[in-house]
Amino acid sequence: MWEHGVNQFLGCSCKYCRISRKGSDANQFKHHLAGRCGNVIHCSNVPPDIRNYYRRELDRIVARKKDIQRDNLRREEVARGGDVVHDINDDEDEVLQCMLDMS
């Protein structure tokens, strides 16, 4: 990831748009390159293949977090002695997606 930016002591700077942001972490830099999430400035100069790569990576991370959350819900349900497994509906999926993007 740092081939696209410079990891500085208190933040990072993008090699494509030369923006430097203090207090940024690797996750925020991925969102910057992917052009996602409302709390970071999106890079307008990143090549499309790099942007698409980081979008897929962020989607993969979110999917993995959702799987972990579903597994935890199932385990909690089984631990309580219930046999009903609740699936997260689409509305909750969108809220979860936004919350995961912001974290």
XYZ file of all heavy atoms in Angstrom:
837
model
N 0.814 -1.182 0.000
C 0.000 0.000 0.000
C 0.864 1.255 0.000
O 0.510 2.238 -0.622
C -0.917 -0.006 1.221
C -1.683 1.260 1.354
S -2.759 1.323 2.770
C -1.620 1.243 4.085
N 1.961 1.230 0.681
C 2.756 2.452 0.782
C 3.538 2.749 -0.491
O 4.243 3.754 -0.565
C 3.651 2.399 2.010
C 2.827 2.408 3.252
C 2.731 1.425 4.182
C 1.936 3.443 3.684
N 1.841 1.771 5.166
C 1.331 3.012 4.876
C 1.559 4.678 3.171
C 0.401 3.769 5.578
C 0.633 5.440 3.861
C 0.076 4.985 5.047
N 3.395 1.917 -1.518
C 3.968 2.278 -2.811
C 3.161 3.401 -3.468
O 3.605 4.015 -4.428
C 4.080 1.066 -3.748
C 2.766 0.417 -4.088
C 2.376 -0.705 -3.143
O 3.001 -0.883 -2.088
O 1.410 -1.412 -3.462
N 1.960 3.678 -2.920
C 1.091 4.733 -3.451
C 1.104 5.982 -2.583
O 0.475 6.979 -2.926
C -0.350 4.224 -3.568
C -0.448 2.967 -4.350
N -0.183 2.903 -5.704
C -0.743 1.698 -3.969
C -0.336 1.660 -6.114
N -0.665 0.911 -5.090
N 1.798 5.919 -1.480
C 1.850 7.062 -0.574
C 3.043 6.956 0.341
O 3.786 5.977 0.329
N 3.218 7.992 1.134
C 4.330 8.038 2.068
C 3.770 8.011 3.479
O 2.952 8.862 3.844
C 5.173 9.320 1.859
C 6.301 9.395 2.872
C 5.712 9.374 0.448
N 4.187 7.025 4.244
C 3.772 6.904 5.635
C 4.654 7.825 6.458
O 5.853 7.640 6.552
C 3.911 5.461 6.098
C 3.350 5.236 7.470
O 2.697 6.093 8.040
N 3.610 4.059 8.015
N 4.027 8.854 7.023
C 4.766 9.817 7.823
C 4.483 9.565 9.294
O 3.561 8.842 9.642
C 4.357 11.239 7.438
C 4.664 11.537 5.986
C 4.030 12.839 5.514
O 3.039 13.289 6.057
N 4.620 13.418 4.499
N 5.250 10.201 10.153
C 5.124 9.976 11.594
C 3.711 10.255 12.095
O 3.153 9.477 12.842
C 6.140 10.832 12.343
C 6.027 10.717 13.833
C 6.320 9.524 14.471
C 5.597 11.786 14.593
C 6.205 9.403 15.838
C 5.487 11.673 15.964
C 5.799 10.491 16.589
N 3.114 11.338 11.683
C 1.782 11.700 12.177
C 0.722 11.666 11.090
O -0.275 12.369 11.161
C 1.819 13.096 12.808
C 2.666 13.217 14.066
C 2.731 14.664 14.515
C 2.118 12.341 15.173
N 0.903 10.884 10.068
C -0.095 10.804 9.001
C 0.486 10.188 7.751
O 1.384 9.358 7.810
N -0.014 10.636 6.604
C 0.476 10.110 5.338
C 0.232 11.140 4.246
O -0.524 12.090 4.405
C -0.213 8.797 4.992
S -1.974 8.934 4.761
N 0.907 10.936 3.115
C 0.686 11.784 1.952
C 0.572 10.894 0.719
O 1.221 9.855 0.620
C 1.810 12.808 1.785
O 3.035 12.165 1.549
N -0.278 11.304 -0.210
C -0.573 10.529 -1.410
C 0.399 10.907 -2.521
O 0.643 12.094 -2.762
C -2.017 10.812 -1.838
S -2.510 9.949 -3.340
N 0.931 9.912 -3.220
C 1.854 10.173 -4.324
C 1.143 10.673 -5.572
O 1.766 11.263 -6.435
C 2.641 8.908 -4.664
C 3.645 8.528 -3.610
C 4.459 7.330 -4.041
C 5.487 6.971 -2.985
N 6.283 5.805 -3.374
N -0.169 10.457 -5.657
C -0.901 10.851 -6.859
C -1.402 12.291 -6.784
O -1.315 13.030 -7.743
C -2.071 9.895 -7.110
C -1.624 8.477 -7.301
C -1.882 7.514 -6.339
C -0.916 8.097 -8.438
C -1.460 6.207 -6.510
C -0.485 6.794 -8.615
C -0.763 5.854 -7.642
O -0.338 4.572 -7.810
N -1.957 12.673 -5.649
C -2.533 14.015 -5.550
C -1.721 14.921 -4.632
O -2.053 16.088 -4.470
C -3.991 13.950 -5.086
S -4.198 13.331 -3.407
N -0.693 14.379 -4.018
C 0.215 15.119 -3.143
C -0.451 15.692 -1.897
O 0.099 16.547 -1.240
C 0.905 16.261 -3.905
C 1.656 15.850 -5.118
C 2.973 15.246 -4.731
N 3.748 15.003 -5.950
C 4.372 13.894 -6.185
N 4.348 12.938 -5.321
N 5.050 13.725 -7.290
N -1.659 15.218 -1.592
C -2.325 15.689 -0.379
C -1.673 15.030 0.820
O -1.303 13.862 0.778
C -3.840 15.413 -0.426
C -4.547 16.214 0.645
C -4.144 13.954 -0.248
C -6.054 16.222 0.483
N -1.488 15.793 1.862
C -0.900 15.279 3.086
C -1.914 15.482 4.195
O -2.492 16.551 4.333
C 0.383 16.044 3.400
O 0.964 15.548 4.566
N -2.136 14.429 4.973
C -3.140 14.509 6.036
C -2.545 13.999 7.323
O -2.075 12.865 7.400
C -4.364 13.692 5.656
C -5.456 13.805 6.677
C -6.730 13.224 6.175
N -7.696 13.270 7.266
C -8.876 12.750 7.210
N -9.264 12.133 6.116
N -9.682 12.824 8.219
N -2.588 14.839 8.324
C -2.095 14.440 9.641
C -3.169 13.621 10.342
O -4.350 13.859 10.178
C -1.744 15.666 10.463
C -0.542 16.404 9.922
C -0.164 17.559 10.799
C 1.071 18.240 10.211
N 1.480 19.380 10.995
N -2.736 12.662 11.121
C -3.657 11.842 11.885
C -4.295 10.717 11.079
O -5.135 9.996 11.588
N -3.921 10.561 9.828
C -4.483 9.496 8.992
C -3.811 8.174 9.312
O -2.637 8.118 9.673
C -4.269 9.811 7.515
O -5.026 10.923 7.138
N -4.563 7.105 9.122
C -4.001 5.775 9.278
C -4.112 5.030 7.954
O -4.602 5.569 6.962
C -4.672 5.022 10.423
C -6.165 4.814 10.202
O -6.676 5.122 9.113
O -6.820 4.321 11.130
N -3.650 3.808 7.933
C -3.652 3.022 6.703
C -5.058 2.806 6.167
O -5.281 2.857 4.951
C -2.963 1.680 6.940
N -6.026 2.602 7.054
C -7.397 2.377 6.622
C -7.957 3.609 5.918
O -8.604 3.509 4.883
C -8.263 1.992 7.820
C -9.616 1.494 7.407
O -9.738 0.732 6.459
N -10.638 1.927 8.116
N -7.725 4.779 6.475
C -8.191 6.009 5.845
C -7.499 6.227 4.500
O -8.108 6.721 3.561
C -7.965 7.201 6.765
C -8.877 7.207 7.955
C -8.572 8.350 8.901
O -7.448 8.837 8.970
N -9.589 8.768 9.641
N -6.234 5.853 4.422
C -5.520 5.994 3.152
C -6.108 5.067 2.087
O -6.229 5.444 0.925
C -4.027 5.738 3.345
C -3.213 6.061 2.135
C -3.153 7.347 1.642
C -2.511 5.069 1.477
C -2.401 7.655 0.509
C -1.766 5.359 0.353
C -1.706 6.659 -0.127
N -6.510 3.861 2.486
C -7.176 2.950 1.549
C -8.476 3.562 1.045
O -8.783 3.497 -0.147
C -7.466 1.600 2.211
C -6.249 0.756 2.472
C -6.640 -0.508 3.194
C -5.431 -1.295 3.633
N -5.815 -2.502 4.378
N -9.253 4.183 1.946
C -10.493 4.851 1.542
C -10.195 6.027 0.611
O -10.938 6.274 -0.329
C -11.273 5.335 2.764
C -11.979 4.245 3.489
N -13.148 3.688 3.035
C -11.686 3.592 4.635
C -13.553 2.749 3.863
N -12.667 2.664 4.841
N -9.117 6.742 0.869
C -8.704 7.854 0.009
C -8.429 7.350 -1.407
O -8.915 7.920 -2.381
C -7.454 8.521 0.601
C -6.778 9.490 -0.301
N -7.288 10.749 -0.555
C -5.626 9.391 -1.011
C -6.474 11.380 -1.391
N -5.462 10.572 -1.682
N -7.678 6.271 -1.524
C -7.345 5.717 -2.838
C -8.562 5.108 -3.528
O -8.709 5.208 -4.743
C -6.242 4.664 -2.711
C -4.868 5.183 -2.300
C -3.924 4.012 -2.044
C -4.292 6.119 -3.344
N -9.452 4.494 -2.737
C -10.637 3.850 -3.305
C -11.718 4.859 -3.662
O -12.635 4.543 -4.425
C -11.199 2.830 -2.312
N -11.630 6.061 -3.114
C -12.671 7.053 -3.370
C -13.949 6.730 -2.627
O -15.045 6.961 -3.118
N -13.813 6.178 -1.442
C -14.962 5.768 -0.635
C -14.949 6.472 0.705
O -13.931 6.966 1.148
C -14.921 4.264 -0.381
C -15.195 3.465 -1.605
C -16.236 2.414 -1.284
N -16.548 1.641 -2.455
C -16.424 0.335 -2.507
N -15.991 -0.333 -1.487
N -16.751 -0.311 -3.607
N -16.091 6.429 1.349
C -16.308 6.939 2.696
C -16.368 8.467 2.690
O -15.634 9.121 1.959
C -15.240 6.448 3.665
S -15.745 6.614 5.374
N -17.247 8.989 3.495
C -17.488 10.420 3.502
C -16.530 11.234 4.342
O -16.490 12.438 4.214
N -15.730 10.602 5.190
C -14.884 11.382 6.085
C -13.435 11.506 5.614
O -12.579 11.908 6.383
C -14.947 10.817 7.511
C -14.408 9.419 7.612
O -14.192 8.759 6.605
N -14.189 8.948 8.822
N -13.149 11.151 4.366
C -11.810 11.349 3.805
C -11.933 12.051 2.458
O -12.947 11.950 1.776
C -11.034 10.018 3.611
C -10.785 9.331 4.924
C -11.746 9.102 2.664
N -10.888 12.753 2.090
C -10.848 13.391 0.778
C -10.466 12.329 -0.236
O -9.487 11.599 -0.063
C -9.816 14.527 0.768
C -10.220 15.601 1.768
C -9.667 15.113 -0.624
C -9.171 16.655 1.997
N -11.238 12.224 -1.311
C -10.981 11.210 -2.330
C -9.897 11.692 -3.280
O -9.853 12.860 -3.637
C -12.253 10.901 -3.113
C -13.368 10.438 -2.241
N -14.666 10.381 -2.670
C -13.392 9.994 -0.952
C -15.431 9.939 -1.696
N -14.675 9.703 -0.648
N -9.039 10.779 -3.688
C -7.969 11.102 -4.623
C -8.537 11.153 -6.039
O -9.135 10.190 -6.512
C -6.862 10.058 -4.542
S -5.460 10.454 -5.604
N -8.334 12.269 -6.693
C -8.854 12.426 -8.055
C -7.840 11.994 -9.112
O -8.182 11.893 -10.283
C -9.263 13.880 -8.288
O -8.160 14.735 -8.042
N -6.610 11.714 -8.711
C -5.556 11.371 -9.674
C -5.128 9.911 -9.649
O -4.257 9.523 -10.425
C -4.327 12.242 -9.413
C -4.629 13.712 -9.580
O -5.484 14.100 -10.363
N -3.943 14.547 -8.818
N -5.709 9.117 -8.769
C -5.309 7.712 -8.671
C -5.749 6.979 -9.952
O -6.842 7.213 -10.462
C -5.902 7.053 -7.407
C -7.392 6.970 -7.465
C -5.311 5.678 -7.175
N -4.888 6.119 -10.508
C -5.275 5.354 -11.701
C -6.465 4.439 -11.406
O -6.620 3.942 -10.286
C -4.019 4.526 -12.006
C -2.898 5.241 -11.339
C -3.485 5.881 -10.131
N -7.322 4.217 -12.409
C -8.527 3.398 -12.203
C -8.242 1.988 -11.687
O -9.003 1.478 -10.867
C -9.176 3.346 -13.586
C -8.645 4.530 -14.313
C -7.273 4.781 -13.761
N -7.173 1.360 -12.128
C -6.891 0.003 -11.661
C -6.533 -0.018 -10.176
O -6.927 -0.929 -9.452
C -5.807 -0.663 -12.501
C -4.488 0.084 -12.492
O -4.505 1.333 -12.395
O -3.431 -0.568 -12.600
N -5.840 1.005 -9.705
C -5.500 1.100 -8.284
C -6.770 1.373 -7.474
O -7.013 0.760 -6.436
C -4.462 2.204 -8.025
C -3.188 1.969 -8.847
C -4.156 2.337 -6.543
C -2.473 0.695 -8.547
N -7.615 2.289 -7.968
C -8.875 2.605 -7.286
C -9.738 1.349 -7.159
O -10.250 1.033 -6.090
C -9.646 3.683 -8.043
C -10.976 4.052 -7.386
C -11.744 5.114 -8.150
N -10.952 6.248 -8.555
C -10.667 7.297 -7.780
N -11.137 7.331 -6.551
N -9.937 8.281 -8.234
N -9.868 0.600 -8.248
C -10.686 -0.617 -8.238
C -10.107 -1.677 -7.306
O -10.847 -2.402 -6.637
C -10.853 -1.168 -9.646
C -11.697 -0.267 -10.508
O -12.545 0.471 -10.016
N -11.468 -0.310 -11.807
N -8.788 -1.795 -7.276
C -8.145 -2.761 -6.381
C -8.508 -2.462 -4.931
O -8.897 -3.364 -4.182
C -6.627 -2.727 -6.560
C -5.906 -3.549 -5.520
C -5.830 -4.930 -5.631
C -5.320 -2.941 -4.412
C -5.185 -5.693 -4.677
C -4.678 -3.693 -3.451
C -4.607 -5.063 -3.581
O -3.974 -5.809 -2.625
N -8.401 -1.210 -4.505
C -8.693 -0.866 -3.116
C -10.181 -0.932 -2.811
O -10.565 -1.238 -1.687
C -8.074 0.487 -2.737
C -6.606 0.316 -2.473
C -5.661 0.680 -3.410
C -6.161 -0.292 -1.307
C -4.314 0.471 -3.189
C -4.815 -0.511 -1.073
C -3.897 -0.124 -2.014
O -2.569 -0.359 -1.781
N -11.020 -0.691 -3.791
C -12.455 -0.892 -3.579
C -12.759 -2.357 -3.303
O -13.520 -2.683 -2.402
C -13.251 -0.394 -4.786
C -13.328 1.106 -4.849
C -14.133 1.578 -6.013
N -14.218 3.031 -5.973
C -14.814 3.761 -6.875
N -15.396 3.189 -7.924
N -14.852 5.076 -6.756
N -12.139 -3.253 -4.090
C -12.340 -4.686 -3.862
C -11.789 -5.098 -2.499
O -12.410 -5.904 -1.790
C -11.670 -5.505 -4.964
C -12.409 -5.506 -6.280
C -11.836 -6.516 -7.257
N -10.399 -6.412 -7.441
C -9.783 -5.642 -8.355
N -10.500 -4.904 -9.173
N -8.480 -5.623 -8.448
N -10.639 -4.569 -2.121
C -10.046 -4.894 -0.823
C -10.947 -4.455 0.322
O -11.169 -5.200 1.273
C -8.668 -4.231 -0.674
C -7.570 -4.938 -1.405
C -7.365 -6.345 -0.870
O -7.085 -6.516 0.336
O -7.507 -7.287 -1.666
N -11.491 -3.242 0.234
C -12.386 -2.751 1.277
C -13.660 -3.573 1.326
O -14.172 -3.878 2.410
C -12.697 -1.270 1.064
C -11.511 -0.324 1.300
C -11.857 1.080 0.827
C -11.084 -0.325 2.751
N -14.182 -3.960 0.163
C -15.380 -4.817 0.128
C -15.095 -6.172 0.768
O -15.926 -6.717 1.492
C -15.858 -5.026 -1.309
C -16.475 -3.781 -1.910
O -16.835 -2.851 -1.154
O -16.583 -3.723 -3.154
N -13.915 -6.711 0.516
C -13.535 -8.000 1.092
C -13.435 -7.910 2.610
O -13.908 -8.792 3.332
C -12.188 -8.443 0.505
C -11.730 -9.810 0.944
C -10.363 -10.164 0.367
N -9.337 -9.216 0.766
C -8.717 -9.221 1.955
N -9.034 -10.130 2.857
N -7.781 -8.334 2.232
N -12.878 -6.820 3.109
C -12.750 -6.628 4.550
C -14.126 -6.512 5.193
O -14.396 -7.111 6.236
C -11.892 -5.383 4.847
C -10.436 -5.659 4.456
C -11.992 -4.981 6.312
C -9.563 -4.426 4.424
N -15.017 -5.750 4.564
C -16.375 -5.587 5.092
C -17.106 -6.920 5.094
O -17.783 -7.261 6.074
C -17.152 -4.521 4.280
C -18.626 -4.552 4.611
C -16.571 -3.142 4.542
N -16.971 -7.684 4.028
C -17.628 -8.997 3.963
C -17.113 -9.914 5.061
O -17.888 -10.643 5.690
C -17.410 -9.627 2.593
N -15.815 -9.877 5.312
C -15.237 -10.706 6.367
C -15.770 -10.286 7.739
O -16.104 -11.125 8.570
C -13.718 -10.614 6.340
C -13.050 -11.577 7.286
C -11.575 -11.616 7.127
N -11.076 -10.334 6.643
C -9.829 -9.931 6.702
N -8.929 -10.700 7.205
N -9.449 -8.760 6.239
N -15.888 -8.977 7.971
C -16.429 -8.494 9.245
C -17.886 -8.910 9.410
O -18.316 -9.262 10.507
C -16.300 -6.973 9.341
C -14.888 -6.508 9.594
C -14.820 -4.997 9.712
C -13.411 -4.534 9.979
N -13.336 -3.063 10.117
N -18.658 -8.879 8.316
C -20.052 -9.314 8.379
C -20.143 -10.797 8.711
O -20.984 -11.212 9.512
C -20.763 -9.052 7.050
C -21.099 -7.617 6.808
C -21.809 -7.482 5.477
C -22.033 -6.042 5.114
N -22.699 -5.915 3.810
N -19.278 -11.599 8.095
C -19.259 -13.033 8.383
C -18.938 -13.292 9.851
O -19.568 -14.139 10.493
C -18.242 -13.757 7.500
C -18.669 -13.825 6.048
O -19.873 -13.612 5.767
O -17.793 -14.085 5.190
N -17.985 -12.560 10.378
C -17.612 -12.713 11.786
C -18.785 -12.322 12.679
O -19.095 -13.014 13.653
C -16.358 -11.872 12.113
C -15.135 -12.495 11.428
C -16.139 -11.761 13.614
C -13.901 -11.629 11.465
N -19.463 -11.216 12.327
C -20.603 -10.784 13.123
C -21.729 -11.816 13.084
O -22.335 -12.129 14.108
C -21.120 -9.434 12.646
C -22.250 -8.909 13.508
C -22.804 -7.605 13.020
O -22.767 -7.313 11.830
N -23.336 -6.819 13.930
N -22.008 -12.367 11.912
C -23.048 -13.396 11.799
C -22.691 -14.630 12.615
O -23.546 -15.200 13.298
C -23.263 -13.771 10.336
C -24.018 -12.734 9.560
C -24.357 -13.218 8.169
N -24.926 -12.126 7.418
C -24.401 -11.603 6.318
N -23.308 -12.104 5.813
N -24.982 -10.599 5.717
N -21.422 -15.042 12.547
C -20.977 -16.196 13.339
C -21.134 -15.924 14.834
O -21.574 -16.803 15.584
C -19.529 -16.541 13.028
C -19.350 -17.157 11.655
O -20.364 -17.570 11.049
O -18.200 -17.205 11.182
N -20.793 -14.722 15.258
C -20.933 -14.369 16.672
C -22.396 -14.368 17.098
O -22.723 -14.831 18.195
C -20.287 -13.016 16.964
C -18.781 -13.075 16.911
O -18.185 -14.148 17.028
N -18.142 -11.937 16.720
N -23.280 -13.856 16.231
C -24.714 -13.869 16.551
C -25.231 -15.300 16.678
O -26.013 -15.609 17.574
C -25.508 -13.110 15.485
C -25.377 -11.593 15.488
C -26.082 -11.004 14.265
C -25.953 -11.004 16.761
N -24.788 -16.163 15.779
C -25.204 -17.570 15.834
C -24.711 -18.240 17.102
O -25.432 -18.993 17.749
C -24.704 -18.310 14.600
C -25.438 -17.920 13.348
C -24.946 -18.699 12.141
N -25.635 -18.243 10.953
C -25.044 -17.780 9.864
N -23.733 -17.737 9.803
N -25.741 -17.384 8.827
N -23.459 -17.981 17.462
C -22.902 -18.567 18.683
C -23.659 -18.088 19.917
O -23.927 -18.872 20.834
C -21.424 -18.203 18.812
C -20.536 -18.966 17.877
C -19.063 -18.704 18.161
N -18.266 -19.239 17.097
C -17.559 -18.514 16.231
N -17.536 -17.209 16.332
N -16.865 -19.095 15.284
N -23.978 -16.792 19.950
C -24.728 -16.262 21.085
C -26.110 -16.906 21.171
O -26.580 -17.227 22.267
C -24.875 -14.742 20.964
C -23.588 -13.990 21.205
C -23.726 -12.504 20.907
O -24.860 -12.023 20.695
O -22.686 -11.823 20.890
N -26.742 -17.093 20.030
C -28.071 -17.708 19.997
C -28.008 -19.151 20.500
O -28.835 -19.585 21.302
C -28.639 -17.665 18.583
C -30.059 -18.139 18.467
C -31.061 -17.198 19.109
O -30.812 -15.988 19.144
O -32.096 -17.703 19.581
N -27.008 -19.883 20.060
C -26.840 -21.268 20.502
C -26.506 -21.306 21.991
O -27.018 -22.146 22.731
C -25.749 -21.976 19.665
C -25.372 -23.304 20.268
C -26.217 -22.144 18.229
N -25.680 -20.366 22.451
C -25.311 -20.331 23.865
C -26.517 -20.042 24.754
O -26.587 -20.520 25.886
C -24.237 -19.278 24.094
N -27.473 -19.284 24.233
C -28.688 -18.995 24.996
C -29.673 -20.158 24.937
O -30.716 -20.129 25.584
C -29.364 -17.737 24.458
C -28.667 -16.454 24.860
C -29.530 -15.256 24.535
N -29.745 -15.142 23.112
C -29.118 -14.276 22.314
N -28.248 -13.441 22.828
N -29.374 -14.235 21.032
N -29.365 -21.165 24.147
C -30.220 -22.336 24.072
C -31.266 -22.259 22.985
O -32.101 -23.133 22.873
N -31.208 -21.227 22.158
C -32.171 -21.103 21.072
C -31.695 -21.842 19.844
O -30.525 -22.155 19.690
N -32.628 -22.160 18.987
C -32.255 -22.834 17.751
C -32.612 -22.008 16.530
O -32.556 -22.487 15.407
C -32.906 -24.215 17.666
C -34.415 -24.136 17.784
O -34.941 -23.046 18.022
O -35.063 -25.183 17.621
N -32.969 -20.735 16.719
C -33.325 -19.859 15.613
C -32.130 -18.988 15.288
O -31.534 -18.363 16.159
C -34.531 -18.958 15.976
C -34.864 -18.022 14.845
C -35.719 -19.817 16.348
N -31.775 -18.958 14.023
C -30.670 -18.126 13.565
C -31.261 -16.964 12.795
O -32.044 -17.149 11.869
C -29.702 -18.925 12.664
C -28.609 -18.031 12.139
C -29.130 -20.092 13.435
N -30.907 -15.760 13.206
C -31.427 -14.559 12.560
C -30.442 -14.083 11.502
O -29.265 -13.952 11.770
C -31.626 -13.440 13.582
C -32.562 -13.816 14.673
N -33.918 -13.842 14.493
C -32.335 -14.213 15.953
C -34.498 -14.206 15.614
N -33.563 -14.451 16.513
N -30.951 -13.849 10.309
C -30.131 -13.269 9.255
C -30.284 -11.767 9.275
O -31.352 -11.240 9.568
C -30.543 -13.797 7.879
C -30.126 -15.232 7.680
O -29.105 -15.632 8.259
O -30.826 -15.936 6.953
N -29.222 -11.060 8.936
C -29.263 -9.608 8.858
C -29.947 -9.230 7.554
O -29.551 -9.675 6.484
C -27.842 -9.024 8.918
C -27.187 -9.403 10.235
C -27.863 -7.529 8.725
C -25.738 -9.021 10.330
N -31.011 -8.418 7.630
C -31.713 -8.039 6.405
C -30.955 -6.941 5.668
O -29.956 -6.424 6.148
C -33.163 -7.641 6.700
C -33.270 -6.374 7.520
O -32.420 -5.488 7.431
N -34.307 -6.276 8.319
N -31.440 -6.568 4.481
C -30.735 -5.626 3.630
C -30.585 -4.249 4.259
O -29.563 -3.598 4.105
C -31.446 -5.502 2.277
C -31.279 -6.750 1.433
O -30.320 -7.498 1.692
O -32.099 -6.977 0.529
N -31.618 -3.763 4.982
C -31.525 -2.453 5.618
C -30.417 -2.439 6.661
O -29.634 -1.504 6.756
C -32.857 -2.061 6.259
C -33.948 -1.808 5.238
O -33.607 -1.502 4.080
O -35.124 -1.908 5.612
N -30.364 -3.487 7.469
C -29.314 -3.581 8.475
C -27.957 -3.735 7.803
O -26.955 -3.241 8.310
C -29.585 -4.753 9.409
C -30.771 -4.540 10.325
C -31.125 -5.787 11.112
O -30.859 -6.903 10.626
O -31.668 -5.635 12.206
N -27.914 -4.403 6.648
C -26.678 -4.556 5.890
C -26.111 -3.203 5.482
O -24.915 -2.959 5.607
C -26.943 -5.380 4.632
C -26.224 -6.706 4.644
O -25.625 -7.044 5.668
O -26.262 -7.385 3.604
N -26.959 -2.309 5.002
C -26.509 -0.990 4.571
C -26.012 -0.165 5.752
O -24.991 0.514 5.646
C -27.640 -0.257 3.858
C -27.985 -0.835 2.507
C -29.176 -0.158 1.868
O -29.592 0.903 2.342
O -29.669 -0.711 0.886
N -26.704 -0.226 6.870
C -26.278 0.498 8.060
C -24.946 -0.051 8.541
O -24.030 0.704 8.875
C -27.352 0.400 9.167
C -26.836 0.945 10.481
C -28.613 1.130 8.744
N -24.817 -1.362 8.558
C -23.564 -1.989 8.973
C -22.437 -1.603 8.042
O -21.329 -1.285 8.490
C -23.719 -3.515 9.021
C -22.475 -4.306 9.409
C -22.028 -3.936 10.817
C -22.771 -5.794 9.313
N -22.698 -1.568 6.741
C -21.684 -1.180 5.761
C -21.163 0.226 6.049
O -19.965 0.476 6.081
C -22.269 -1.242 4.337
C -21.377 -0.692 3.259
C -20.196 -1.576 2.977
O -20.326 -2.771 2.997
N -19.046 -0.986 2.711
N -22.063 1.155 6.276
C -21.685 2.537 6.548
C -20.886 2.629 7.846
O -19.879 3.327 7.901
C -22.919 3.421 6.605
S -22.507 5.156 6.791
N -21.330 1.909 8.872
C -20.627 1.942 10.147
C -19.233 1.343 10.024
O -18.286 1.862 10.597
C -21.441 1.201 11.208
C -22.715 1.938 11.594
S -23.754 0.996 12.722
C -22.718 0.874 14.145
N -19.102 0.281 9.256
C -17.791 -0.331 9.077
C -16.879 0.584 8.271
O -15.693 0.676 8.542
C -17.938 -1.681 8.381
C -18.559 -2.783 9.227
C -18.812 -4.025 8.373
C -17.677 -3.122 10.387
N -17.432 1.289 7.283
C -16.635 2.229 6.502
C -16.131 3.369 7.368
O -15.022 3.870 7.167
C -17.448 2.812 5.345
C -17.636 1.807 4.221
O -16.920 0.798 4.197
O -18.517 2.047 3.369
N -16.928 3.777 8.331
C -16.555 4.902 9.176
C -15.583 4.501 10.271
O -14.891 5.346 10.833
C -17.797 5.532 9.794
C -18.654 6.224 8.764
S -20.229 6.811 9.388
C -19.706 7.855 10.726
N -15.489 3.193 10.581
C -14.600 2.766 11.656
C -13.164 2.652 11.206
O -12.823 2.642 10.100
C -15.054 1.436 12.222
O -14.922 0.408 11.267
